[in-house]
């Protein structure tokens, strides 16, 4: 970890990843072979220090409780000399983990949700051992592939106590403004839409107005130019913020402040208010449950929506009109005035992943365990975990992983049954997001074969991914008076947002906004923002120190 840590996280570029994957194939193949050879040398059964009889390690997995006996599991044991005894809770995983911590009845390896306080409890209690020396001496693949993720995951003492799972920026599109392709073609935007071009806010407004004017009714019911699902309101608000390039906080004069202080916030509110006051936004947008949302978008009465891919409606349209229909919702960037499409923030992702995989103090084989984890983290280990065995589910052709047609057919028919029988994607440990060195996705099940909407989104939403890791968990400690004030402020902001959207005029919005700012300041907003800023600076210092080691 010698390289200098860059303060602003780099945007993950899908196009760049694709371009890299089509580069020097021989170089990629040799790199993969070297890594595989290294993995075999440190983990495989041909080495002198691998026990003839596999050692058994217990592993707590909050996701999967199947026995470690499928073809992938058997291959892992053959390659590493490690057999895994799976422990999985029948109830709440965190409750089980806390009980194990209190009782001292710990597994050898624990997979713990990074977003829960349980992980820090395990570290603070000394239940997880530091991994730095083990990684340095026995885990070349982890060092190479995790890179600065290790620096970003250090504890307050500067040590690593877990390895991230589903780590690295996920290059897949996240949110978008979704619009029907057939309507875009009808209104003269077909060529631009097919190319995945972005739309300006004014163009989007014009399209909504044209749709309302031309189709006041559809099948005898009022048309709905735009609707959203209230069950996913944070995503919906996030999609609107993305148009303006807004992030978790407003960074201003070296401080992190509440996003409502961003001048773009007020501009965003005025835009949403315009949508509502002109009847372009569904009158029930704030109360639409998932079922109502699915029914409306699939009815043909809706032109646009916000959030993720509109799977339910698109499936219904394909069933009704055929696979080649253009009556489908496609994702696009809509940009606010003066905002560069590549500065939009439709793809918030954390490079630190979902889980932490740690070795507990109960483990009597830490060296063998880190070698086991190092193999799983390798390029070879990732394809074994996610694609299954070579020669069974896939073959290497000209340096590229190619799934068999039988595997693709089985996945299409019943991916869960395929996973259970072959072991592919059954054990998701040490998983890295994105593409392998040959340009194929690690996730065979859900990333290899993409429909036309998802393929289009790779173009239309490229360049808007950004790393949220630096902003995670910067608030005051739970249970403190500051934490109570922070929650009050968030409630004030939520209420203010709703009131301003329904305001009668932009002048009224301005008054409501001023009142909201006064209320949050009366509840110590400046102090809470000071806590955000101090924690942020401390985190940067910790990361930079880890990078210099």
């Amino acid at each position: 970890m010698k390289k200098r840590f860059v303060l602003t996280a780099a945007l993950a570029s899908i196009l760049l990843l694709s371009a890299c994957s089509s580069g020097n194939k021989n170089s990629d193949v040799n790199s993969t072979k070297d890594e595989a050879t290294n993995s075999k040398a440190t983990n495989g059964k041909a080495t002198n220090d691998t026990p003839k009889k596999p050692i058994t390690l217990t592993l707590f997995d909050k996701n999967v409780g199947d026995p470690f006996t499928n073809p992938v599991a058997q291959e892992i044991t053959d390659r590493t000399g490690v057999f895994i005894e799976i422990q999985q809770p029948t109830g709440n995983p965190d409750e089980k983990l806390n009980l194990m911590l209190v009782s001292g009845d710990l597994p050898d390896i624990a997979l713990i949700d990074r977003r829960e306080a349980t992980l820090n409890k395990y570290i603070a209690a000394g239940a997880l051992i530091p991994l730095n020396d083990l990684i340095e001496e026995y885990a070349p693949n982890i060092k190479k592939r995790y890179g600065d993720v290790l620096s970003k995951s250090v504890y307050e003492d500067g040590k690593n106590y877990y390895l991230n799972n589903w780590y690295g920026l996920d290059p897949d599109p996240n949110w978008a403004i979704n619009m029907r392709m057939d309507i875009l073609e009808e209104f003269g935007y077909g060529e631009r839409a097919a190319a995945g071009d972005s739309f300006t806010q004014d163009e989007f407004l014009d399209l909504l107005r044209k749709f309302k004017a031309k189709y006041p009714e559809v099948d005898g019911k009022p048309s709905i130019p735009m609707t959203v699902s209230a069950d996913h309101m944070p995503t919906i608000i996030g999609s609107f913020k993305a148009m303006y390039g807004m992030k978790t906080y407003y960074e201003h004069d070296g401080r992190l402040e509440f996003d409502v202080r961003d001048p773009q916030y007020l501009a965003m509110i005025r835009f949403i208010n315009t949508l509502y006051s002109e009847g372009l936004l569904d009158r029930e947008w704030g109360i639409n449950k998932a079922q109502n949302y699915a029914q409306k978008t699939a009815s043909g009465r809706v032109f646009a929506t916000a959030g993720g891919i509109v799977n339910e409606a698109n499936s219904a349209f394909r069933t009704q009109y055929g696979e080649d229909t253009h009556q489908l919702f496609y994702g696009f960037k809509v940009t606010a005035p003066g905002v560069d499409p590549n500065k939009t923030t439709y793809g918030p992702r954390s490079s630190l992943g979902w889980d932490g995989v740690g070795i507990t103090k109960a483990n009597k084989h830490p060296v063998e365990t880190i070698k086991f984890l190092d193999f799983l983290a390798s390029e070879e280990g990732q394809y074994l975990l996610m694609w299954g065995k070579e020669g069974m589910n896939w073959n290497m052709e000209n340096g590229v992983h190619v799934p068999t047609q039988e595997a693709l057919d089985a996945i299409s028919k019943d991916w869960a049954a395929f996973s259970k029988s072959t072991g592919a994607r059954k054990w998701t440990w040490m998983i890295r997001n994105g593409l392998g060195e040959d340009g194929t996705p690690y996730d065979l099940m859900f990333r290899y074969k993409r429909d036309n909407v998802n393929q289009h989104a790779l173009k239309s939403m490229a360049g808007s991914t950004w790393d949220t890791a630096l902003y995670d968990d910067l608030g005051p400690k739970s249970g403190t008076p500051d934490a109570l004030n922070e929650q009050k402020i968030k409630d004030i902001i939520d209420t203010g947002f709703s009131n301003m959207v329904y305001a009668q005029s932009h002048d009224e919005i301005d008054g409501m906004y001023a009142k909201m700012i006064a209320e949050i300041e009366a509840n110590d907003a400046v102090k809470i923002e000071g806590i955000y800023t101090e924690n942020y600076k401390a985190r940067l210092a910790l990361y930079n120190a880890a990078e210099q080691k």
Side-chain angles (χ1 to χ4, degrees):
M1 294 183 285
K2 298 291 185 184
K3 61 185 178 180
R4 182 180 176 187
F5 179 73
V6 181
L7 298 186
T8 304
L11 293 175
S13 170
I14 298 168
L15 296 178
L16 180 58
L17 286 173
S18 299
C20 291
S21 69
S22 62
N24 188 332
K25 297 290 185 181
N26 291 331
S27 175
D28 290 346
V29 173
N30 290 337
S31 175
T32 303
K33 286 182 177 178
D34 289 345
E35 188 178 59
T37 301
N38 197 12
S39 296
K40 292 177 182 178
T42 56
N43 294 290
K45 57 185 178 181
T47 60
N48 294 329
D49 59 346
T50 301
K52 293 181 180 180
K53 181 179 180 182
I55 63 171
T56 297
L57 298 175
T58 55
L59 188 153
F60 178 86
D61 188 330
K62 64 185 179 66
N63 301 311
V64 182
D66 291 25
F68 200 67
T69 55
N70 61 46
V72 166
Q74 292 171 3
E75 181 69 11
I76 290 172
T77 298
D78 287 344
R79 296 295 302 278
T80 65
V82 172
F83 175 80
I84 295 296
E85 181 181 304
I86 302 294
Q87 297 180 350
Q88 192 215 19
T90 54
N92 185 293
D94 278 316
E95 289 180 3
K96 177 64 175 177
L97 284 162
N98 283 316
L99 284 173
M100 290 191 296
L101 181 62
V102 172
S103 68
D105 185 17
L106 298 169
D108 294 309
I109 306 170
L111 186 146
I112 306 174
D113 193 323
R114 278 191 61 257
R115 299 159 296 173
E116 298 291 341
T118 307
L119 184 57
N120 280 340
K121 287 182 184 177
Y122 264 64
I123 297 172
L128 298 181
I129 66 171
L131 304 177
N132 303 71
D133 292 342
L134 289 169
I135 293 171
E136 186 65 32
E137 188 167 356
Y138 301 106
N141 292 307
I142 290 173
K143 284 181 62 178
K144 171 186 172 183
R145 294 167 65 79
Y146 273 71
D148 65 5
V149 168
L150 292 173
S151 301
K152 295 177 185 177
S153 301
V154 293
Y155 190 57
E156 57 191 29
D157 61 2
K159 297 178 181 179
N160 290 100
Y161 289 88
Y162 64 88
L163 293 163
N164 306 67
N165 192 35
W166 291 105
Y167 69 97
L169 280 180
D170 186 346
D172 266 31
N174 196 2
W175 305 337
I177 302 297
N178 301 285
M179 294 184 271
R180 288 233 317 260
M181 182 65 77
D182 59 327
I183 301 299
L184 289 170
E185 292 172 343
E186 181 181 344
F187 290 160
Y189 288 95
E191 189 172 327
R192 281 181 56 190
D197 288 353
S198 62
F199 290 81
T200 67
Q201 180 174 297
D202 287 342
E203 288 174 329
F204 182 56
L205 273 171
D206 183 57
L207 283 163
L208 292 171
R209 289 164 179 159
K210 283 181 177 177
F211 179 79
K212 182 182 179 183
K214 185 166 184 179
Y215 299 102
E217 290 188 349
V218 175
D219 294 333
K221 294 183 179 180
S223 66
I224 306 172
M226 184 176 189
T227 192
V228 297
S229 172
D231 282 346
H232 301 284
M233 192 55 71
T235 298
I236 304 309
I237 296 174
S239 297
F240 284 123
K241 287 172 60 177
M243 295 173 54
Y244 293 80
M246 297 175 63
K247 294 185 177 181
T248 310
Y249 300 101
Y250 175 46
E251 294 194 44
H252 179 64
D253 291 340
R255 285 172 52 83
L256 294 188
E257 300 179 354
F258 286 102
D259 60 1
V260 295
R261 295 193 191 272
D262 190 327
Q264 293 282 42
Y265 183 86
L266 190 53
M268 177 193 72
I269 291 293
R270 289 172 176 156
F271 169 66
I272 303 173
N273 174 263
T274 296
L275 295 179
Y276 185 78
S277 61
E278 291 190 19
L280 303 175
L281 182 61
D282 189 354
R283 293 293 176 183
E284 299 177 327
W285 79 287
I287 58 173
N288 268 335
K289 295 298 182 183
Q291 185 176 2
N292 290 338
Y293 170 76
Q295 290 172 348
K296 288 178 178 178
T297 51
S299 69
R301 295 191 292 144
V302 175
F303 165 62
T305 184
I309 298 295
V310 193
N311 290 314
E312 294 85 357
N314 283 349
S315 295
F317 288 145
R318 288 190 177 101
T319 299
Q320 184 174 357
Y321 302 109
E323 288 294 319
D324 296 329
T325 181
H326 281 195
Q327 188 165 322
L328 297 171
F329 288 96
Y330 282 74
F332 297 93
K333 295 178 189 176
V334 173
T335 62
V339 177
D340 186 321
N342 287 324
K343 298 296 183 182
T344 56
T345 49
Y346 286 99
R349 304 278 192 181
S350 174
S351 60
L352 302 186
W354 299 98
D355 312 308
V357 180
I359 300 175
T360 75
K361 65 180 182 181
N363 190 312
K364 295 183 176 7
H365 303 280
V367 172
E368 290 85 351
T369 303
I370 199 68
K371 289 182 178 181
F372 163 77
L373 297 175
D374 188 63
F375 170 72
L376 299 184
S378 71
E379 182 86 348
E380 185 181 19
Q382 296 288 280
Y383 278 100
L384 175 59
L385 285 166
M386 300 295 280
W387 287 48
K389 290 183 64 174
E390 182 177 7
M392 180 178 180
N393 299 339
W394 60 275
N395 296 294
M396 188 68 81
E397 299 179 9
N398 299 318
V400 177
H401 294 78
V402 179
T404 65
Q405 188 59 49
E406 291 78 9
L408 293 176
D409 291 342
I411 291 169
S412 178
K413 181 179 179 180
D414 188 342
W415 70 265
F418 174 79
S419 177
K420 190 174 184 66
S421 63
T422 66
R425 210 183 191 277
K426 177 58 67 174
W427 316 114
T428 53
W429 304 324
M430 315 290 289
I431 300 302
R432 180 179 180 177
N433 279 311
L435 307 176
E437 293 181 0
D438 64 357
T440 56
Y442 289 124
D443 194 345
L444 172 66
M445 302 278 192
F446 303 112
R447 298 290 187 270
Y448 189 81
K449 291 188 70 174
R450 301 174 186 266
D451 63 23
N452 48 354
V453 172
N454 281 277
Q455 288 176 355
H456 177 273
L458 292 175
K459 296 185 300 181
S460 64
M461 304 312 296
S464 65
T465 302
W466 62 283
D467 195 349
T468 64
L470 291 175
Y471 296 134
D472 290 347
D473 304 319
L474 294 178
K477 293 183 178 180
S478 61
T480 63
D482 288 330
L484 294 176
N485 280 337
E486 181 192 37
Q487 187 57 53
K488 287 180 185 178
I489 291 168
K490 290 180 177 179
D491 291 341
I492 291 168
I493 290 172
D494 288 344
T495 301
F497 173 85
S498 298
N499 291 339
M500 287 185 284
V501 168
Y502 297 126
Q504 298 298 311
S505 68
H506 285 183
D507 287 341
E508 186 179 3
I509 289 174
D510 292 345
M512 289 178 172
Y513 178 77
K515 180 182 177 183
M516 179 184 69
I517 295 298
E519 287 181 3
I520 69 171
E521 288 182 346
N523 283 276
D524 288 335
V526 174
K527 182 181 179 182
I528 303 304
E529 290 166 338
I531 293 173
Y532 294 151
T533 302
E534 289 175 12
N535 289 341
Y536 181 63
K537 290 180 177 178
R539 176 170 294 171
L540 290 178
L542 189 64
Y543 292 172
N544 282 323
E547 280 290 291
Q548 300 306 314
K549 290 182 179 179

